């Protein structure tokens, strides 16, 4: 939770700068690479290997430079600023918040779709969701055999449960005398 709070102003500043320079896509990629490097460093730290903020910054910059398109000077200064303020380990939360800001500005919602059986035409399903929600949708698909069939869709705080498991649960509630939501 702490990193999420710390991430907000850094992500907002990075997003504003990236938007002004028309470099949102490049910043998105570099932040993702940096976040991945920090996650690896966090695993080392959890294993008892201590890494200073300065060392972490060097590893993160190297990872960003190795990624597609590399890191520019502004992105390197951004990491240096994070290191100066002992915030390098907040990079995964910063990258996540940056993504939220990008989606909000573009009018995109993120949907997580759980399915029991493979969805043959995911593009058609995406189009259906976009029409149903009235917004552009970025979809993440996850297999969940416990659903037995159908799908369960998560969008923000909403859940659309069109699974067999969901129907069985609602039927069991109705038979037990409970309230059923349709």
């Amino acid at each position: 939770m702490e990193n999420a709070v710390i991430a907000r102003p850094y992500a907002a500043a990075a997003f504003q700068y990236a938007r002004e320079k028309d470099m949102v896509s490049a910043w998105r990629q570099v932040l993702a690479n940096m976040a991945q490097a920090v996650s690896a460093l966090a695993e080392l730290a959890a294993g008892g290997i201590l890494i200073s903020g300065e060392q972490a910054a060097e590893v993160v910059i190297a990872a960003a430079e190795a990624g597609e398109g590399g890191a520019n000077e502004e992105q390197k200064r951004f990491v240096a600023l994070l290191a100066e303020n002992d915030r390098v380990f907040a990079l995964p939360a910063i990258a996540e918040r940056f993504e939220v800001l990008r989606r909000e500005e573009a009018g995109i919602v993120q949907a997580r779709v759980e399915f029991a059986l493979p969805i043959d035409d995911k593009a058609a399903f995406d189009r259906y969701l976009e029409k149903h929600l009235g917004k552009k949708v970025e979809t993440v698909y996850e297999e969940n055999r416990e659903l037995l069939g159908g799908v369960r869709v998560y969008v923000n705080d909403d859940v659309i449960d069109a699974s067999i498991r969901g129907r069985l649960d609602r039927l069991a509630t109705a038979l037990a005398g409970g309230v059923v939501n349709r």
Side-chain angles (χ1 to χ4, degrees):
M1 181 64 165
E2 181 182 332
N3 278 343
V5 172
I6 291 168
R8 284 184 171 274
Y10 289 102
F15 185 77
Q16 180 179 347
Y17 179 84
R19 190 178 63 217
E20 287 171 3
K21 299 294 182 183
D22 196 26
M23 296 179 65
V24 171
S25 182
W27 271 81
R28 178 184 186 212
Q29 183 62 50
V30 166
L31 285 172
N33 292 343
M34 290 183 200
Q36 190 173 10
V38 168
S39 295
L41 290 173
E43 287 179 26
L44 290 175
I49 299 172
L50 299 179
I51 299 163
S52 72
E54 195 172 291
Q55 290 169 321
E58 290 173 15
V59 170
V60 168
I61 289 171
E65 287 177 332
E68 186 179 319
N72 63 31
E73 289 306 311
E74 291 82 12
Q75 292 158 338
K76 291 175 190 177
R77 281 196 297 272
F78 182 72
V79 174
L81 176 68
L82 292 173
E84 236 176 75
N85 294 316
D86 197 27
R87 301 291 194 234
V88 173
F89 287 97
L91 264 164
I94 293 168
E96 188 175 307
R97 181 67 189 156
F98 187 95
E99 272 299 293
V100 168
L101 294 170
R102 181 191 67 80
R103 283 192 301 267
E104 284 176 358
E105 182 171 277
I108 298 171
V109 295
Q110 186 174 36
R112 182 169 55 94
V113 177
E114 293 181 344
F115 59 90
L117 303 171
I119 297 173
D120 292 332
D121 191 352
K122 289 180 180 171
F125 193 79
D126 289 347
R127 287 190 299 277
Y128 168 79
L129 282 177
E130 288 177 359
K131 183 177 178 183
H132 179 75
L133 298 170
K135 292 185 175 194
K136 178 91 174 110
V137 177
E138 286 183 354
T139 314
V140 175
Y141 289 91
E142 297 176 4
E143 184 176 342
N144 181 350
R145 297 263 181 205
E146 292 179 14
L147 297 180
L148 303 176
V151 296
R152 187 177 295 150
V153 181
Y154 299 87
V155 178
N156 298 324
D157 294 332
D158 296 325
V159 179
I160 303 165
D161 192 346
S163 68
I164 293 174
R165 169 60 55 209
R167 289 179 185 165
L168 289 173
D169 290 346
R170 288 188 296 277
L171 178 60
T173 301
L175 290 173
V179 178
V180 176
N181 292 332
R182 292 184 182 221

